[in-house]
Amino acid sequence: MTMGVTDQESFMKEVRLKKSSDFFDLQQVIKGWLSGIGSASVRGKKCMRLFCKKAQEELLSGCSQDGHTLRSDWRSPEFWISSIRKEDSGYSWCEAMTTSHSVPKQSDRSYIQVQRIPMSGVFLETQPQGDQAVEGKMPVLVCSVAEGTGDTTFSWHREDTRESLGQKSQRSQRAELEIPVIREGHAGGYYCTADNGYGIIQSEAVNVSVRIPVSHPVLTFSTSGAQAFTGDVVELRCEDKRASPPILYRFYHENVTLGSTSAPFGGRASFSLSLTTGRSGNYACEADNGLGAQRHGKDMSNISFHKHPPKIRLVNGAHHCNGRVEVEKEGRWGTVCDDGWDMKDAAVVRRELGRGAAKHTPAGMLYLPVAEEDQSVFIQVALCNGTEEALAGCEQVETFDCGHDEDTGAVCEDSHSAITIRAPGIQNDMGDMVALHCQA
């Protein structure tokens, strides 16, 4: 006779031996006991209880399975098998005798089949919880089952590609898989499966998003002109292009907080600052999206500005650092004579204008239209050594015999670059090679 006993079931059966004439018919009673074994689903410990009992006279009993003695303590009428597993399947019987050992009896052998509980309720979760992972960290995928016993094979997969991430076999209802150093491209759906021999059961997919910490915020600033002066408004801009939103940006001047701006959808944020005499110095910005704050670079950005606008300009040139040199005195603009004008003088002009390195000192007549006849020539000779901050700081000789035909000019590197394309022909087809040239 074969009887099924499933894992995680608690089984108890009481057998009472009844008197037949002057002897106890143990063979018949035990046979009836084993043939009456049933099963009941009880959640909790996995066990089976064998119990032999006589109403009026004490009996000695024992139990065996497949030739192995399960219990040899004859004075105990019951035997518990704890933690039943599939390996406990087999033929079982029991023996009983009176205390005088005069009436020994053995039951028929009965086959007890222990069956595993199939997998159900497969569930995938992440650790840390929240279905969010941080780039650069090592998240854990946890696969668990609500029910199921025996050796179980757990597998983890990506939903979009069905790619297998790993597999583990163990006697457990829970298994973990650690993902080494997650990246932005690892975002997406994941699922796991469990199988203990009754078929593969799959969990629902869990969508894992990857948050990117701030790393390299960049600070830039802009003004309305080439240089900043007292009273101007400077816009400080801080940006981390990769960090996940929302991002909080903080702005600092000499390590003192100026203010903060939020970028709820990522990208950059700006902070407007009105320049005063105490605003020159070092500036920095900091980005924070809840995964750790970072400042831009190792050094602060330096902003310097003049108290007053420069009293010099280059006019009629191709760009802001190319043209006839003119200076301002008492609200009027006049030219500069080319007597003794050289690269040292041009270097001071470019420094006062906040431009690139001085390159040439062409004649002012090249920049049309030429100066009006009634416009004054203010400087005959500028004796600069090239280190002065402004042309007004150079030793000068006032005009005595210079006309506009001797006006001087200056050329320096502009902040704007030009790009040109050189191609092999007038018309070009797909696959042709072209050369890109960038020139300041």
Side-chain angles (χ1 to χ4, degrees):
M1 176 175 49
T2 301
M3 292 147 286
V5 180
T6 56
D7 285 341
Q8 295 186 345
E9 290 179 344
S10 178
F11 176 79
M12 182 181 73
K13 190 70 176 181
E14 180 179 340
V15 176
R16 297 182 182 274
L17 302 180
K18 299 184 179 180
K19 187 174 182 179
S20 175
S21 65
D22 294 331
F23 299 96
F24 299 104
D25 190 354
L26 299 182
Q27 181 72 34
Q28 187 63 33
V29 173
I30 293 174
K31 180 178 179 182
W33 162 43
L34 289 176
S35 64
I37 288 179
S39 63
S41 296
V42 179
R43 297 185 181 275
K45 294 183 178 179
K46 302 172 290 182
C47 58
M48 182 172 66
R49 185 186 186 192
L50 306 179
F51 191 2
C52 294
K53 185 177 180 182
K54 176 180 176 293
Q56 298 178 351
E57 184 174 343
E58 184 178 359
L59 295 175
L60 300 178
S61 60
C63 293
S64 300
Q65 183 182 57
D66 289 336
H68 300 287
T69 301
L70 300 179
R71 185 189 61 77
S72 60
D73 182 7
W74 288 84
R75 295 192 177 276
S76 176
E78 61 185 30
F79 174 68
W80 287 86
I81 301 177
S82 60
S83 300
I84 296 178
R85 298 180 178 179
K86 187 175 181 180
E87 292 78 6
D88 292 322
S89 298
Y91 286 96
S92 299
W93 66 93
C94 72
E95 298 175 351
M97 67 177 64
T98 61
T99 54
S100 62
H101 298 276
S102 60
V103 186
K105 291 294 182 178
Q106 177 178 305
S107 71
D108 292 336
R109 298 189 180 197
S110 297
Y111 188 83
I112 299 176
Q113 177 69 47
V114 180
Q115 297 178 344
R116 290 175 178 168
I117 296 177
M119 293 288 129
S120 64
V122 182
F123 181 74
L124 178 67
E125 60 182 331
T126 61
Q127 288 184 350
Q129 294 183 345
D131 300 337
Q132 285 190 342
V134 178
E135 186 180 61
K137 302 296 183 181
M138 300 178 67
V140 177
L141 299 179
V142 181
C143 190
S144 60
V145 297
E147 288 187 332
T149 57
D151 291 331
T152 304
T153 299
F154 295 92
S155 298
W156 292 264
H157 305 266
R158 288 201 63 160
E159 184 181 31
D160 52 354
T161 63
R162 301 290 176 179
E163 172 191 1
S164 177
L165 304 177
Q167 187 178 88
K168 288 185 178 181
S169 294
Q170 58 191 58
R171 187 181 291 271
S172 174
Q173 291 185 322
R174 184 178 186 273
E176 298 180 357
L177 178 70
E178 188 175 65
I179 298 179
V181 189
I182 198 165
R183 300 298 180 192
E184 184 178 10
H186 293 153
Y190 292 81
Y191 68 91
C192 71
T193 63
D195 181 15
N196 66 344
Y198 286 91
I200 297 175
I201 305 298
Q202 180 176 318
S203 72
E204 292 185 0
V206 172
N207 189 57
V208 177
S209 60
V210 178
R211 297 205 67 207
I212 303 174
V214 295
S215 55
H216 302 292
V218 177
L219 176 67
T220 58
F221 59 92
S222 65
T223 60
S224 57
Q227 288 183 305
F229 305 100
T230 301
D232 285 352
V233 176
V234 174
E235 183 183 34
L236 304 177
R237 299 169 181 169
C238 192
E239 182 177 17
D240 190 312
K241 294 183 178 181
R242 294 193 69 242
S244 298
I247 307 173
L248 179 65
Y249 292 99
R250 300 182 183 91
F251 298 87
Y252 300 88
H253 173 237
E254 302 293 353
N255 286 320
V256 177
T257 303
L258 296 174
S260 61
T261 306
S262 178
F265 304 106
R268 74 181 183 187
S270 61
F271 182 84
S272 296
L273 177 70
S274 180
L275 295 180
T276 61
T277 55
R279 290 298 191 185
S280 288
N282 295 313
Y283 287 80
C285 76
E286 181 181 79
D288 187 1
N289 64 350
L291 302 175
Q294 293 286 335
R295 288 199 181 189
H296 85 285
K298 294 182 179 179
D299 303 317
M300 295 185 177
S301 297
N302 184 274
I303 298 178
S304 60
F305 59 93
H306 301 275
K307 295 182 180 179
H308 305 287
K311 294 186 176 183
I312 192 169
R313 67 186 182 185
L314 299 178
V315 298
N316 298 338
H319 53 76
H320 293 293
C321 203
N322 182 2
R324 183 174 62 248
V325 180
E326 293 187 355
V327 295
E328 186 263 333
K329 288 185 178 181
E330 299 177 353
R332 297 173 53 240
W333 289 92
T335 62
V336 177
C337 188
D338 62 3
D339 291 355
W341 187 262
D342 58 19
M343 290 295 292
K344 293 181 180 179
D345 304 311
V348 175
V349 171
R350 76 93 192 162
R351 183 176 298 113
E352 187 172 1
L353 292 173
R355 297 293 179 176
K359 298 176 66 176
H360 306 292
T361 56
M365 291 287 291
L366 298 176
Y367 300 101
L368 301 177
V370 297
E372 299 290 339
E373 287 296 329
D374 59 352
Q375 188 175 6
S376 302
V377 179
F378 284 153
I379 300 177
Q380 179 86 30
V381 181
L383 302 173
C384 300
N385 60 27
T387 62
E388 295 85 354
E389 293 295 327
L391 195 63
C394 301
E395 186 179 350
Q396 299 178 5
V397 177
E398 292 187 0
T399 306
F400 55 89
D401 65 349
C402 190
H404 288 309
D405 58 339
E406 296 182 77
D407 286 343
T408 189
V411 178
C412 56
E413 293 180 352
D414 189 29
S415 58
H416 300 285
S417 301
I419 188 169
T420 57
I421 301 177
R422 295 180 183 176
I426 299 177
Q427 290 184 334
N428 297 282
D429 299 321
M430 184 180 300
D432 287 350
M433 299 292 291
V434 297
L436 302 179
H437 295 266
C438 185
Q439 183 176 6

